[in-house]
Amino acid sequence: KIITECYTIMANASILPTIGTISIHALKKGNKSKRLDKKEYLSIPTSFLAFFAGFIDGDGYIQVTQTTKGYISIKLVISIQLEDISTLEYIQSVLKLGKITVYRDLKSPGCKLIINRTDLQEVIFPLLLHHGIFFLTDTRRAQFDLALYILKNEIKVYSLIPKKEDIPSTFDLPKKALDYVRLAFFKNWIVGFTMSEGSFFVKINNDGCFQLKQRVHDILFEAFKLVFETNSQISSEKDKYYQFSVCSKADIQRVINFFSFSGYHPLIGLKGIQYLKWLTLLKNSSRYANLNFPK
């Protein structure tokens, strides 16, 4: 069976090349009964993959750790509150891989979607590379570049990993805000990023607001202004966090147009519910009632 699987990997190499070598031990342990054929993975919409990347940029991380025997463990983890487990179930249903783990901490119960090293090598990383979709926050980019470097160079021992500054970047970030906007995947990435770092709310003074907040990424936040066609100023907190926020009628209409009328990947889970509740509040507001809302 293992030999058959090895031949299958080789046969599919030209379709979606595996990164590095898959160990025999991984093939023994792996449960691929639910996983799609590599050809089928190419049929996953790029809108979903861009959404997925944006969500990881906010709520995920690529973990590279040392095992007890000094080897390297690599996995992708998305961690969210337990109430929003349907979001992880949706992602898992599309990818047909990953394991959802629930932890019932009394203070903050949560859940995680964990995608193992083999699935990253055979499916997730090759898909992102194939479609030219990449992470846009510094932390996630560094994690991706490190994991990819380890896999490509088949580094087995943790102590042999080079220094961070010696790891090459896989993709170059745009140098101008407009170049972010021109990225084919950027708008769907924003939807995924909003799932993690966005908020839809109404202030006490009845101002409807849409907000995105994250660590300082100057050009990225300027690109948000271009996408939503606003002159609203980016605010910062102690030069550590940037906040993009819009409240005017014209700006709110453009936000509604983006999330409801543009054909991008939809908001799902708790964020999707928050968005729908926000639309209802706006419809019942004297200030925003005349805006164009989805039916």
Side-chain angles (χ1 to χ4, degrees):
K1 183 180 177 182
I2 293 170
I3 294 173
T4 302
E5 287 180 336
C6 286
Y7 278 125
T8 302
I9 290 171
M10 292 172 65
N12 284 328
S14 60
I15 300 167
L16 207 58
T18 297
I19 298 168
T21 302
I22 307 297
S23 73
I24 292 176
H25 299 294
L27 289 173
K28 284 180 178 177
K29 289 193 300 182
N31 177 17
K32 299 185 180 181
S33 59
K34 294 182 180 179
R35 226 174 71 176
L36 299 174
D37 181 85
K38 278 200 173 189
K39 290 179 182 178
E40 293 178 275
Y41 276 109
L42 288 174
S43 68
I44 292 177
T46 53
S47 59
F48 169 82
L49 294 172
F51 161 89
F52 181 56
F55 192 39
I56 294 169
D57 257 318
D59 272 330
Y61 57 94
I62 300 165
Q63 188 179 72
V64 176
T65 54
Q66 183 175 3
T67 68
T68 53
K69 294 184 178 179
Y71 295 111
I72 301 169
S73 171
I74 301 174
K75 58 187 174 184
L76 170 63
V77 182
I78 301 175
S79 181
I80 58 177
Q81 58 182 305
L82 184 55
E83 285 182 296
D84 205 13
I85 192 171
S86 65
T87 294
L88 298 187
E89 291 171 340
Y90 163 71
I91 291 171
Q92 187 185 49
S93 73
V94 175
L95 294 175
K96 298 293 189 294
L97 49 77
K99 179 181 178 182
I100 295 176
T101 302
V102 173
Y103 48 100
R104 301 184 183 278
D105 185 287
L106 293 177
K107 292 184 179 179
S108 56
C111 51
K112 294 180 180 180
L113 174 64
I114 301 172
I115 298 177
N116 65 37
R117 175 183 180 137
T118 304
D119 288 337
L120 292 178
Q121 286 180 268
E122 290 199 279
V123 179
I124 302 300
F125 288 176
L127 267 179
L128 294 177
L129 293 171
H130 176 80
H131 292 291
I133 294 171
F134 50 92
F135 301 111
L136 298 178
T137 61
D138 294 337
T139 302
R140 215 64 64 236
R141 283 170 55 76
Q143 292 171 351
F144 175 76
D145 288 338
L146 174 60
L148 200 65
Y149 185 86
I150 291 169
L151 296 174
K152 280 184 172 181
N153 291 279
E154 302 194 5
I155 300 172
K156 302 290 191 294
V157 181
Y158 189 85
S159 61
L160 297 180
I161 297 175
K163 294 179 181 178
K164 186 169 68 172
E165 55 267 26
D166 295 328
I167 304 295
S169 293
T170 309
F171 294 99
D172 292 328
L173 274 182
K175 293 179 171 57
K176 298 178 181 177
L178 185 58
D179 292 333
Y180 274 95
V181 180
R182 287 171 174 161
L183 291 172
F185 66 89
F186 187 52
K187 310 288 178 55
N188 285 296
W189 180 94
I190 289 176
V191 179
F193 191 68
T194 299
M195 290 282 298
S196 169
E197 308 295 348
S199 298
F200 302 92
F201 60 95
V202 176
K203 294 181 179 179
I204 296 175
N205 65 358
N206 292 323
D207 275 356
C209 293
F210 167 61
Q211 197 173 86
L212 287 169
K213 185 177 180 181
Q214 236 263 1
R215 290 194 182 99
V216 172
H217 291 89
D218 304 51
I219 305 174
L220 176 60
F221 272 71
E222 287 298 321
F224 294 154
K225 290 174 63 175
L226 293 180
V227 169
F228 292 100
E229 301 175 47
T230 180
N231 292 317
S232 180
Q233 295 301 305
I234 303 295
S235 59
S236 62
E237 293 180 16
K238 300 178 182 178
D239 294 325
K240 290 185 177 180
Y241 290 89
Y242 269 15
Q243 182 173 288
F244 167 82
S245 183
V246 292
C247 297
S248 74
K249 286 177 66 175
D251 284 340
I252 294 302
Q253 181 64 71
R254 282 188 282 268
V255 170
I256 295 171
N257 291 347
F258 180 88
F259 288 103
S260 293
F261 298 117
S262 299
Y264 303 130
H265 192 288
L267 293 163
I268 60 172
L270 289 184
K271 193 63 64 178
I273 293 171
Q274 183 188 83
Y275 176 64
L276 293 176
K277 288 181 177 179
W278 181 70
L279 290 179
T280 300
L281 290 173
L282 295 182
K283 287 178 185 178
N284 295 326
S285 161
S286 58
R287 181 180 181 189
Y288 300 101
N290 292 327
L291 296 181
N292 181 26
F293 294 97
K295 304 298 184 185

